[in-house]
Amino acid sequence: MAGKPAIVLVHGGFVDGSGWRPVYDLLTRDGYRVAVVQNPTLSLQGDAAAARLIIDAQGGPVVLVGHSYGGAVITEAGTDPNVAALVYITGFVPDSGESVNTLLADFPTDVPGPPILPPKDGFLSLDRGKFHASFAGDLPADVAAFMADSQVPWGVEALGGQVTEAAWRTKPSWYLITTDDKMIPPPAQRTMSGRAGSTVVEAAGSHSIYVSQPAAVAGLIKQAAASAMAAPQ
């Protein structure tokens, strides 16, 4: 582990941190210290605070990784001085003053949107019958069914939470675009990653690429880690 930054993984909406296990296994096998944030998913600021707790516990440089809504979380929490690099895995990349809702409003109108059901008691969920096709198209049906049945309710306030200071404006970033994504359209991914000046890699995969293709995800994270190690301190 000498000289290697720690890796902190942040999950997105409707899921929890356990989905990172395949990526975690690959990274720890290569000698990285890896920690997983469990978002309360009640508010963006609450999730960013949870991420900062884990970042600060590493006691040194961190590569901060966010999937989907986790991209908004790392954009807010990534200003922590210990964060050396940001990695977005088909993630939202809001600017200061923007929210996930802001970015959703700018999605292309000529492609189907994510099958989010109307809010109930302040929380959102995905249509179970459409979960496989939209969120996990390249996973076996039984795995997708388990993910659909173990959904974490996503707080409406989390989607509306505005970023106070966008970390990508001062930190280097990487972005994995998934070309078969039915949750965040690839054109929106390209727009967000381009605005952030991210180093971009594209892969044919679903929104759940961190589960279906962990090697592709871990490979990009290791690129960011290598760059962070080479950068002057």
Side-chain angles (χ1 to χ4, degrees):
M1 278 190 56
K4 288 186 177 182
I7 312 297
V8 173
L9 306 172
V10 182
H11 66 82
F14 308 119
V15 294
D16 65 16
S18 64
W20 284 115
R21 182 62 189 269
V23 173
Y24 172 95
D25 286 345
L26 291 175
L27 292 172
T28 54
R29 190 178 307 159
D30 284 342
Y32 289 93
R33 178 178 178 179
V34 184
V36 180
V37 178
Q38 294 286 6
N39 296 324
T41 57
L42 298 176
S43 70
L44 177 62
Q45 292 302 324
D47 294 336
R52 291 189 190 101
L53 284 173
I54 305 303
I55 293 166
D56 294 343
Q58 306 314 304
V62 164
V63 173
L64 188 58
V65 184
H67 169 254
S68 193
Y69 163 70
V73 177
I74 71 169
T75 299
E76 179 69 12
T79 55
D80 187 293
N82 284 336
V83 174
L86 306 166
V87 181
Y88 295 88
I89 307 301
T90 181
F92 289 99
V93 191
D95 201 352
S96 303
E98 293 181 345
S99 65
V100 169
N101 280 339
T102 303
L103 298 175
L104 285 170
D106 289 335
F107 273 13
T109 57
D110 58 345
V111 295
I116 301 174
L117 297 172
K120 183 176 181 181
D121 298 327
F123 292 94
L124 298 169
S125 61
L126 282 183
D127 186 326
R128 185 189 184 283
K130 297 178 180 178
F131 191 100
H132 190 186
S134 62
F135 199 98
D138 55 357
L139 289 174
D142 61 334
V143 176
F146 177 79
M147 293 172 70
D149 289 334
S150 61
Q151 287 186 60
V152 177
W154 192 6
V156 170
E157 290 186 18
L159 281 79
Q162 295 182 348
V163 168
T164 57
E165 182 182 352
W168 52 263
R169 289 201 169 273
T170 56
K171 306 287 178 79
S173 64
W174 283 255
Y175 197 109
L176 179 60
I177 293 173
T178 49
T179 58
D180 299 326
D181 201 312
K182 300 298 190 294
M183 292 291 295
I184 302 180
Q189 296 180 51
R190 295 187 183 102
T191 297
M192 292 186 290
S193 58
R195 180 175 68 168
S198 303
T199 299
V200 174
V201 171
E202 296 198 11
S206 77
H207 197 61
S208 292
I209 194 167
Y210 66 111
V211 181
S212 63
Q213 298 182 51
V217 174
L220 186 62
I221 294 169
K222 287 189 285 187
Q223 284 186 36
S227 179
M229 289 167 60
Q233 301 298 315

